Amino acid sequence: MIRMRILQTFDAGREAEFMKLEREFEKLELMHKDFPRGRRFCPVSSALPSNTLIWECDFSDLDAAHAALKFFAGNPHHEALAVQQRPFIRDVRIEFLESLF
């Protein structure tokens, strides 16, 4: 099992706008069964700044996780929201974690 984690640090002064769009991404996941359904978190106590959104989802293998990234980039509904949200994003990092046991 591979867990893909997308970490987006956003402009703290634009949090309301960023999160409004993030709720739209969540609606896409819930309405369309093709979309990977991730969990969203914000740090409370972490090395990460509190204005970081963490989206994570489990996949069967690394190829499936990479396929999800390609799916996001190629989906017109996802891309339309991403275009609106990008101005608020300061940094993006993608992590892939392998389950050990």
Side-chain angles (χ1 to χ4, degrees):
M1 191 262 316
I2 296 291
R3 178 165 294 166
M4 179 170 67
R5 200 177 273 165
I6 302 173
L7 302 100
Q8 300 172 321
T9 304
F10 55 88
D11 180 348
R14 309 293 296 270
E15 181 176 4
E17 295 157 288
F18 179 89
M19 289 301 180
K20 180 179 179 187
L21 287 165
E22 197 57 37
R23 283 188 286 283
E24 294 299 316
F25 282 110
E26 182 183 28
K27 285 179 189 175
L28 278 179
E29 292 175 18
L30 296 172
M31 290 175 28
H32 300 282
K33 55 183 154 188
D34 326 1
F35 273 81
R37 292 197 178 156
R39 292 173 305 277
R40 290 164 174 79
F41 302 91
C42 280
V44 175
S45 177
S46 171
L48 296 169
S50 61
N51 58 316
T52 302
L53 177 90
I54 304 161
W55 180 93
E56 65 180 36
C57 188
D58 294 336
F59 297 91
S60 57
D61 55 35
L62 194 53
D63 288 339
H66 280 283
L69 289 174
K70 288 180 185 177
F71 173 80
F72 292 148
N75 182 277
H77 302 293
H78 187 279
E79 190 56 27
L81 289 173
V83 165
Q84 294 176 62
Q85 197 180 50
R86 281 187 193 115
F88 309 133
I89 297 174
R90 299 293 168 242
D91 185 47
V92 176
R93 194 169 73 235
I94 301 173
E95 300 175 346
F96 300 95
L97 304 129
E98 184 176 30
S99 177
L100 297 178
F101 307 106

